[in-house]
Amino acid sequence: MKIEGLDTLEKSLNELSANAKKLSETSAVPFDELFPPSFMRHHTDSSSIDEFLDNSPFTIESKEDFLAIPDEEWDNYIVAHTDFSSWEEMQGKAAEDYVVKQLGF
């Protein structure tokens, strides 16, 4: 009995393995990669992460500025301008989408 498609399956698994290895070596993902325009247009009222940050009521000129925003106030902005209930939920969905894309699905 001959099974068809094993070569294709093996190739796909090898690609998945290589992509997973590359992903595991990534330490930090830049915001513009984690939140690409397609994600922002689909889930927010902004077309980019830069626009989203610029439209916020907060002055964000550095990582420190961003980290200094009170969590509750940032979550309120997220709720008002996205389809997420929190920043944690938004980050989780963005990370999920990023991983799926990096793995090649």
Side-chain angles (χ1 to χ4, degrees), residues 59-76:
T59 301
I60 305 171
E61 296 176 351
S62 67
K63 180 180 177 180
E64 291 74 24
D65 290 344
F66 182 75
L67 294 174
I69 300 170
D71 291 343
E72 185 176 343
E73 291 179 36
W74 185 246
D75 278 343
N76 290 339

Side-chain angles (χ1 to χ4, degrees), residues 42-103:
H42 184 70
H43 295 288
T44 77
D45 56 10
S46 298
S47 61
S48 71
I49 188 64
D50 289 335
E51 179 183 310
F52 186 73
L53 297 173
D54 289 344
N55 289 342
S56 78
F58 310 100
T59 301
I60 305 171
E61 296 176 351
S62 67
K63 180 180 177 180
E64 291 74 24
D65 290 344
F66 182 75
L67 294 174
I69 300 170
D71 291 343
E72 185 176 343
E73 291 179 36
W74 185 246
D75 278 343
N76 290 339
Y77 179 69
I78 297 297
V79 168
H81 298 278
T82 76
D83 55 10
F84 299 104
S85 62
S86 69
W87 174 234
E88 184 176 336
E89 183 183 357
M90 183 174 171
Q91 289 178 93
K93 177 60 175 157
E96 177 185 317
D97 290 358
Y98 178 83
V99 167
V100 167
K101 182 179 177 184
Q102 295 305 306
L103 291 176

Side-chain angles (χ1 to χ4, degrees), residues 9-45:
L9 176 61
E10 181 178 12
K11 181 180 177 195
S12 294
L13 289 174
N14 287 338
E15 287 175 10
L16 180 60
S17 177
N19 290 342
K21 183 177 186 312
K22 186 170 102 177
L23 185 60
S24 73
E25 295 167 352
T26 303
S27 59
V29 179
F31 259 26
D32 61 338
E33 288 182 37
L34 188 59
F35 301 104
S38 58
F39 178 91
M40 296 304 292
R41 283 190 302 271
H42 184 70
H43 295 288
T44 77
D45 56 10

